[in-house]
Amino acid sequence: MTVRAQRFTAGVLAALAAAALSGCGLMPSMSSVGDADFDAPLPIPPLAESRVEDGVRVFSLTAQEGEMEFIDGHPTATRGFDGDFLGPTIRAERGERVAFEIASELSDVTSVHWHGMHLPAEMDGGPHQPIEPGGTWEPTWTIDQPAATLWYHPHPHGSTEQQVYEGLAGMFLLDDERSRAAELPSAYGVDDVPVIVQDRDIDRDTGEMDHRELHGKGAEVGLLGDTVMANGAVGAFHDVTTDRVRLRLLNGSTARTYAFGFDDRDVALVASDGGLLPEPVIRERVRLSPGERAEIVVEMEPGERAMLRSFAPDLGTVAAGFAAGANDAFDVLELRAADELAPRPAPSWEYEDVGLDEADAVATRRFELSGRKINGASMNMMRIDEVVELGDTEIWELRNDDLSPHNFHVHDVQFEVLSIDGDDPPAELSGRKDTIYLEPHREYRVIMRFEDYADPEVPYMYHCHLILHEDEGLMGQFVVAEP
Ligand code: C2O
Ligand code: CU
């Protein structure tokens, strides 16, 4: 792939130095707002090439070591798929059978998990489908879910945070009839733009970003970096040529939660993790915790510039908010509108209701997250925590028992949110989700159906997607079994 190194400009370095200084105070808060020169073109991850063999769309991916020059003259060791950093965007159509030839040139065990995908457990790419150094893995499945913005990343138990942090992540876009017919900007990389947002902590003198050393600085949530990148670029801009632009935001950070928005305009939230919402939701800020996605449509005037920022996120009632990033704000991506903009219609589409109904639920499970445990137990690869029956609709009750952030991600299925503390969820949670931020001490009830792929042997995961927590045991395993 061709994502190139983007260098720090003098302005960015000054901003970083200022952020570092302010970090010495009693209440560290990081900010890059207003300081940087945004003069690096946003790198657009290339669409992955594929070939069709016997009706199967085949992709090849290689996990490899790489190098980026984030700091002039100081190369940073990174990793990527088919390149130095991040990976190509994979795109497939509902109903299509896909297959992957994945090779690893890494020196440690990895895996490739298809986050948000409905697929057989043995194709899921979790900790039970390791790829050894020099090894290969060839999963195949049929895309069988509504159009959505998904992503892929490694999932080896205990070292997921490091591998994602070092650059192993990419987007996986699904299309279907409804998404093709939707009134939404849809020219990839032009007015339909993937934006992978990640924070990193890079040593200004050496270019190093070895996250293990940095844990000493230690936020409970994991590593909170002061350098926020969009598709691997610091200080990126994107030239906009239409009066509406769609951004597919992925929080690919390991620990940091963002509240995306602009100073002077609302955005239309059109899709969440599992695809299009029932209708556009107009918001000033869009909160995304690690692993979550949001598609937003932003309106632009000819000739203007608009900065996508992450504002200080509302994390709910957390203790020591500064240690969870609650005070931090960043400039992320500057949108630069051309003097003439081609018109794009107001967002609209036909919503697909998948018919999740509380009256159909036959089981309720409860998951309480605390420390590095779920229901008092930490992850054990040899233990199946929950057995779900094929075809069942279930309600899962989720609760963060700590006063620090957690979120909750379930493999295989997309769920809908029934209630939070007994109330209807806000409109931004009206669609399908696979990852949800859990504000401390609140009751989240979500509903899901396990309609395919019974396999009593191979488990799927559920876990906190603050990846340090996941690595340290805040994860459990379920199997889907025939009744
Ligand atoms: Cu994004 Cu279990 O992972
Ligand atoms: Cu957590």
Side-chain angles (χ1 to χ4, degrees):
M1 63 180 289
T2 52
V3 174
R4 288 190 321 274
Q6 301 296 340
R7 285 149 200 228
F8 283 95
T9 62
V12 175
L13 283 173
L16 293 168
L21 279 178
S22 75
C24 299
L26 194 58
M27 292 280 286
S29 68
M30 300 178 197
S31 174
S32 68
V33 170
D35 298 325
D37 299 330
F38 274 64
D39 58 3
L42 178 73
I44 303 296
L47 289 170
E49 285 171 18
S50 62
R51 56 182 201 275
V52 177
E53 276 173 18
D54 302 329
V56 181
R57 182 171 298 285
V58 184
F59 297 87
S60 301
L61 274 184
T62 301
Q64 57 194 71
E65 311 286 342
E67 195 176 273
M68 295 287 280
E69 201 169 305
F70 297 119
I71 310 247
D72 262 336
H74 295 292
T76 299
T78 57
R79 305 193 201 199
F81 292 102
D82 293 0
D84 287 309
F85 200 53
L86 301 177
T89 297
I90 298 162
R91 193 152 199 171
E93 183 84 21
R94 189 176 191 174
E96 230 175 359
R97 182 129 192 115
V98 296
F100 287 83
E101 303 167 336
I102 298 176
S104 172
E105 295 174 357
L106 307 179
S107 53
D108 49 352
V109 173
T110 190
S111 78
V112 179
H113 168 57
W114 317 102
H115 181 126
M117 195 77 70
H118 176 50
L119 78 185
E122 60 179 334
M123 307 300 169
D124 189 42
H128 293 273
Q129 291 85 41
I131 310 174
E132 299 297 327
T136 58
W137 183 51
E138 299 193 342
T140 177
W141 71 94
T142 300
I143 305 289
D144 184 17
Q145 69 192 90
T149 299
L150 311 183
W151 65 301
Y152 62 98
H153 63 78
H155 213 304
H157 187 42
S159 44
T160 297
E161 186 197 29
Q162 177 169 10
Q163 293 193 4
V164 173
Y165 180 74
E166 290 178 340
L168 290 167
M171 278 201 184
F172 199 140
L173 309 184
L174 302 183
D175 304 298
D176 65 10
E177 268 174 33
R178 284 184 177 80
S179 70
R180 288 190 186 285
E183 299 277 21
L184 287 170
S186 59
Y188 180 78
V190 179
D191 61 15
D192 180 0
V193 185
V195 186
I196 302 172
V197 183
Q198 298 176 305
D199 59 328
R200 294 195 163 82
D201 196 339
I202 300 174
D203 188 307
R204 310 288 166 232
D205 300 321
T206 65
E208 255 180 277
M209 60 171 203
D210 181 351
H211 88 289
R212 283 165 298 186
E213 291 187 16
L214 298 162
H215 274 156
K217 293 184 186 175
E220 207 283 329
V221 290
L223 184 137
L224 294 173
D226 58 7
T227 301
V228 171
M229 303 178 174
N231 299 343
V234 186
F237 70 88
H238 182 70
D239 284 321
V240 173
T241 54
T242 51
D243 64 357
R244 288 187 169 90
V245 60
R246 173 188 190 176
L247 304 179
R248 297 183 189 243
L249 301 170
L250 157 64
N251 182 350
S253 292
T254 58
R256 186 180 286 290
T257 293
Y258 300 95
F260 293 112
F262 294 84
D263 278 333
D264 54 354
R265 74 200 67 201
D266 293 341
V267 300
L269 177 68
V270 300
S272 56
D273 302 335
L276 293 165
L277 299 176
E279 57 187 18
V281 175
I282 305 304
R283 283 290 179 268
E284 203 178 343
R285 304 278 181 263
V286 176
R287 180 175 70 188
L288 287 188
S289 66
E292 290 184 290
R293 287 86 65 210
E295 296 179 34
I296 61 173
V297 173
V298 184
E299 291 186 19
M300 299 290 291
E301 297 289 337
E304 72 167 343
R305 294 184 174 197
M307 183 64 80
L308 174 71
R309 298 208 154 104
S310 175
F311 295 83
D314 176 0
L315 300 177
T317 311
V318 297
F322 65 86
N327 303 338
D328 301 349
F330 301 95
D331 288 345
V332 178
L333 172 67
E334 186 179 69
L335 300 179
R336 296 185 182 173
D339 290 334
E340 276 177 46
L341 300 177
R344 289 289 175 271
S348 75
W349 58 87
E350 189 195 332
Y351 178 64
E352 179 177 354
D353 186 340
V354 299
L356 283 170
D357 187 345
E358 199 168 348
D360 297 332
V362 296
T364 300
R365 294 173 206 270
R366 191 166 172 82
F367 299 89
E368 296 186 358
L369 286 67
S370 181
R372 300 294 181 264
K373 294 179 175 171
I374 300 178
N375 297 337
S378 68
M379 169 73 172
N380 180 340
M381 296 261 299
M382 306 303 290
R383 184 190 67 230
I384 302 297
D385 298 279
E386 308 287 338
V387 178
V388 167
E389 282 192 11
L390 183 67
D392 279 1
T393 297
E394 298 202 350
I395 291 170
W396 287 18
E397 297 175 348
L398 315 172
R399 183 182 166 93
N400 170 3
D401 276 332
D402 294 333
L403 281 172
S404 56
H406 294 297
N407 68 9
F408 195 83
H409 168 51
V410 190
H411 288 207
D412 179 42
V413 290
Q414 295 283 339
F415 53 80
E416 290 178 10
V417 184
L418 291 172
S419 65
I420 302 174
D421 282 346
D423 296 328
D424 287 344
E428 61 266 29
L429 295 178
S430 57
R432 287 177 288 273
K433 298 281 294 165
D434 55 54
T435 307
I436 186 168
Y437 181 71
L438 300 180
E439 294 188 0
H441 295 195
R442 302 187 73 180
E443 297 285 333
Y444 292 75
R445 294 180 78 238
V446 305
I447 184 168
M448 61 198 91
R449 186 169 56 220
F450 300 87
E451 44 197 335
D452 303 291
Y453 310 131
D455 184 338
E457 305 288 327
V458 185
Y460 297 102
M461 307 294 123
Y462 52 85
H463 57 87
C464 178
H465 217 290
L466 278 60
I467 311 182
L468 175 70
H469 295 181
E470 169 192 341
D471 278 341
E472 292 184 347
L474 215 171
M475 178 154 65
Q477 313 196 93
F478 71 97
V479 293
V480 177
E482 297 281 356

